[in-house]
Protein backbone atom coordinates (compact mmCIF):
# COMPACT_ATOMS: atom_id res chain seq x y z
CA UNK A 1 0.00 0.00 0.00
CA UNK A 2 2.91 2.33 0.75
CA UNK A 3 4.26 1.81 -2.77
CA UNK A 4 0.92 2.69 -4.36
CA UNK A 5 0.63 5.83 -2.23
CA UNK A 6 4.24 6.77 -3.07
CA UNK A 7 3.68 6.34 -6.84
CA UNK A 8 0.37 8.20 -6.71
CA UNK A 9 2.06 11.12 -4.95
CA UNK A 10 4.92 11.03 -7.46
CA UNK A 11 2.51 11.06 -10.43
CA UNK A 12 0.54 13.91 -8.89
CA UNK A 13 3.73 15.96 -8.43
CA UNK A 14 4.86 15.25 -12.00
CA UNK A 15 1.47 16.26 -13.36
CA UNK A 16 1.57 19.50 -11.38
CA UNK A 17 5.08 20.39 -12.55
CA UNK A 18 4.36 19.55 -16.17
CA UNK A 19 1.30 21.82 -16.19
CA UNK A 20 3.19 24.96 -15.27
CA UNK A 21 3.29 27.37 -18.19
CA UNK A 22 6.72 28.58 -19.26
CA UNK A 23 7.03 32.13 -20.52
CA UNK A 24 8.87 32.26 -23.81
CA UNK A 25 10.98 35.37 -24.18
CA UNK A 26 11.70 37.25 -27.36
CA UNK A 27 15.04 38.17 -28.84
CA UNK A 28 17.04 41.23 -27.84
CA UNK A 29 16.09 42.88 -31.15
CA UNK A 30 12.47 41.82 -31.44
CA UNK A 31 11.36 45.48 -31.78
CA UNK A 32 13.43 45.69 -34.98
CA UNK A 33 12.83 42.20 -36.33
CA UNK A 34 10.32 41.36 -38.98
CA UNK A 35 9.33 40.63 -42.53
CA UNK A 36 8.76 43.76 -44.59
CA UNK A 37 7.28 44.59 -47.97
CA UNK A 38 9.32 47.46 -49.35
CA UNK A 39 9.79 49.40 -52.56
CA UNK A 40 13.19 50.50 -53.90
CA UNK A 41 13.18 54.18 -54.76
CA UNK A 42 16.20 56.22 -55.84
CA UNK A 43 17.21 59.47 -54.13
CA UNK A 44 18.73 61.84 -56.67
CA UNK A 45 19.64 65.47 -55.88
CA UNK A 46 17.36 65.36 -52.84
CA UNK A 47 14.36 64.16 -54.83
CA UNK A 48 12.85 60.68 -54.58
CA UNK A 49 12.25 58.83 -57.83
CA UNK A 50 9.66 56.16 -57.08
CA UNK A 51 10.41 52.60 -58.21
CA UNK A 52 12.52 53.62 -61.25
CA UNK A 53 13.20 49.99 -62.22
CA UNK A 54 9.58 48.85 -61.94
CA UNK A 55 10.33 46.21 -59.29
CA UNK A 56 7.23 46.91 -57.26
CA UNK A 57 7.09 45.68 -53.68
CA UNK A 58 9.37 42.90 -52.51
CA UNK A 59 10.17 41.22 -49.22
CA UNK A 60 13.15 41.94 -46.99
CA UNK A 61 13.83 40.71 -43.48
CA UNK A 62 15.42 42.11 -40.34
CA UNK A 63 16.37 39.75 -37.54
CA UNK A 64 18.72 39.16 -34.63
CA UNK A 65 22.22 37.80 -34.98
CA UNK A 66 23.20 34.53 -33.33
CA UNK A 67 24.85 36.56 -30.54
CA UNK A 68 21.37 38.01 -29.80
CA UNK A 69 22.79 41.45 -28.93
CA UNK A 70 20.43 44.44 -28.82
CA UNK A 71 22.98 46.45 -30.79
CA UNK A 72 23.17 44.43 -34.04
CA UNK A 73 20.77 42.97 -36.59
CA UNK A 74 20.86 41.29 -39.96
CA UNK A 75 19.29 43.07 -42.91
CA UNK A 76 18.52 40.57 -45.65
CA UNK A 77 16.85 41.21 -49.00
CA UNK A 78 16.20 37.45 -49.32
CA UNK A 79 17.65 37.59 -52.87
CA UNK A 80 14.80 39.87 -53.99
CA UNK A 81 16.72 43.05 -54.84
CA UNK A 82 20.52 43.25 -54.78
CA UNK A 83 21.18 39.84 -53.26
CA UNK A 84 22.57 41.27 -50.05
CA UNK A 85 22.70 40.29 -46.39
CA UNK A 86 24.62 42.54 -44.01
CA UNK A 87 25.05 43.01 -40.30
CA UNK A 88 23.99 46.47 -39.10
CA UNK A 89 24.50 48.38 -35.88
CA UNK A 90 21.16 48.77 -34.13
CA UNK A 91 19.45 50.64 -31.32
CA UNK A 92 16.56 48.37 -30.32
CA UNK A 93 15.02 51.03 -28.06
CA UNK A 94 15.34 53.89 -30.55
CA UNK A 95 14.28 51.62 -33.43
CA UNK A 96 17.20 52.75 -35.61
CA UNK A 97 19.97 50.96 -37.49
CA UNK A 98 22.89 51.68 -39.82
CA UNK A 99 25.89 50.04 -41.46
CA UNK A 100 29.13 51.45 -42.78
CA UNK A 101 31.02 49.43 -45.39
CA UNK A 102 29.31 46.25 -44.19
CA UNK A 103 30.56 43.17 -46.00
CA UNK A 104 27.88 41.38 -48.01
CA UNK A 105 27.40 37.83 -46.71
CA UNK A 106 25.64 36.59 -49.84
CA UNK A 107 26.21 36.98 -53.54
CA UNK A 108 28.72 39.50 -54.80
CA UNK A 109 31.72 40.53 -52.74
CA UNK A 110 30.57 44.08 -52.16
CA UNK A 111 30.17 46.40 -49.22
CA UNK A 112 26.94 48.11 -48.24
CA UNK A 113 26.29 51.43 -46.51
CA UNK A 114 22.95 51.88 -44.74
CA UNK A 115 21.96 55.26 -43.37
CA UNK A 116 18.74 56.70 -41.94
CA UNK A 117 17.49 53.21 -40.98
CA UNK A 118 14.38 53.61 -38.87
CA UNK A 119 11.23 51.75 -37.89
CA UNK A 120 8.13 53.76 -37.00
CA UNK A 121 5.51 51.87 -35.00
CA UNK A 122 2.16 52.21 -36.81
CA UNK A 123 3.80 54.77 -39.14
CA UNK A 124 2.47 53.18 -42.32
CA UNK A 125 -0.65 51.60 -43.75
CA UNK A 126 -1.37 48.22 -45.28
CA UNK A 127 -3.12 47.89 -48.66
CA UNK A 128 -6.42 47.44 -46.79
CA UNK A 129 -5.84 50.68 -44.85
CA UNK A 130 -5.03 49.14 -41.49
CA UNK A 131 -2.08 50.67 -39.58
CA UNK A 132 1.30 48.95 -39.87
CA UNK A 133 4.85 49.42 -38.71
CA UNK A 134 6.88 51.34 -41.29
CA UNK A 135 10.55 50.80 -42.21
CA UNK A 136 12.85 53.09 -44.17
CA UNK A 137 16.57 53.06 -44.95
CA UNK A 138 18.95 54.56 -47.49
CA UNK A 139 21.25 51.97 -49.04
CA UNK A 140 24.37 52.41 -51.17
CA UNK A 141 26.23 49.51 -52.77
CA UNK A 142 29.98 49.60 -53.51
CA UNK A 143 29.35 48.26 -57.02
CA UNK A 144 26.98 51.20 -57.72
CA UNK A 145 28.65 54.07 -55.84
CA UNK A 146 26.78 57.34 -55.57
CA UNK A 147 23.34 55.82 -56.15
CA UNK A 148 21.21 55.94 -53.01
CA UNK A 149 18.34 53.48 -52.89
CA UNK A 150 15.63 54.25 -50.39
CA UNK A 151 13.98 51.02 -49.28
CA UNK A 152 10.70 51.80 -47.55
CA UNK A 153 7.56 49.93 -46.77
CA UNK A 154 5.49 48.17 -44.12
CA UNK A 155 5.64 45.09 -41.94
CA UNK A 156 4.20 41.94 -43.49
CA UNK A 157 0.72 41.37 -42.09
CA UNK A 158 0.14 37.76 -43.14
CA UNK A 159 -3.14 38.73 -44.84
CA UNK A 160 -3.50 37.95 -48.55
CA UNK A 161 -5.32 41.23 -49.15
CA UNK A 162 -2.16 43.12 -48.11
CA UNK A 163 0.33 41.22 -50.28
Amino acid sequence: MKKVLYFATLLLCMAFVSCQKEEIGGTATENLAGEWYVQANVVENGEVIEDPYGLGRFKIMTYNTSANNANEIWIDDVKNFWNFKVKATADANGLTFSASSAQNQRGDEITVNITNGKINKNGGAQNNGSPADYITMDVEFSDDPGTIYRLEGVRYSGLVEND
Side-chain angles (χ1 to χ4, degrees):
M1 181 69 170
K2 256 185 169 177
K3 280 185 179 181
V4 172
L5 190 55
Y6 174 75
F7 283 120
T9 304
L10 182 63
L11 282 173
L12 186 62
C13 288
M14 286 175 38
F16 178 72
V17 170
S18 66
C19 289
Q20 290 181 349
K21 185 175 180 179
E22 286 186 39
E23 290 295 322
I24 299 173
T27 66
T29 59
E30 83 180 282
N31 289 337
L32 295 168
E35 291 183 47
W36 308 89
Y37 274 114
V38 299
Q39 179 174 296
N41 303 319
V42 172
V43 180
E44 197 171 273
N45 298 323
E47 291 193 35
V48 177
I49 302 166
E50 287 198 30
D51 195 15
Y53 306 115
L55 298 174
R57 292 177 3 138
F58 55 90
K59 182 167 79 168
I60 66 169
M61 297 181 70
T62 56
Y63 48 91
N64 66 300
T65 64
S66 60
N68 196 27
N69 295 328
N71 62 353
E72 62 184 9
I73 60 171
W74 285 109
I75 300 175
D76 188 345
D77 78 345
V78 199
K79 301 180 183 180
N80 288 320
F81 177 55
W82 213 271
N83 196 19
F84 76 96
K85 175 183 175 182
V86 295
K87 195 180 292 187
T89 303
D91 177 356
N93 293 324
L95 301 176
T96 60
F97 53 92
S98 64
S100 180
S101 297
Q103 188 64 47
N104 186 22
Q105 300 299 307
R106 175 186 300 124
D108 297 330
E109 292 187 24
I110 59 170
T111 59
V112 180
N113 292 322
I114 297 174
T115 56
N116 304 316
K118 176 98 178 121
I119 294 172
N120 295 315
K121 294 290 185 182
N122 293 319
Q126 297 287 353
N127 289 342
N128 68 1
S130 63
D133 294 346
Y134 176 81
I135 190 170
T136 183
M137 68 186 91
D138 292 339
V139 183
E140 180 182 20
F141 301 97
S142 64
D143 61 342
D144 190 12
T147 304
I148 305 298
Y149 296 93
R150 180 161 297 156
L151 303 182
E152 54 189 342
V154 295
R155 187 180 298 276
Y156 174 64
S157 71
L159 299 175
V160 173
E161 64 195 55
N162 291 325
D163 288 348

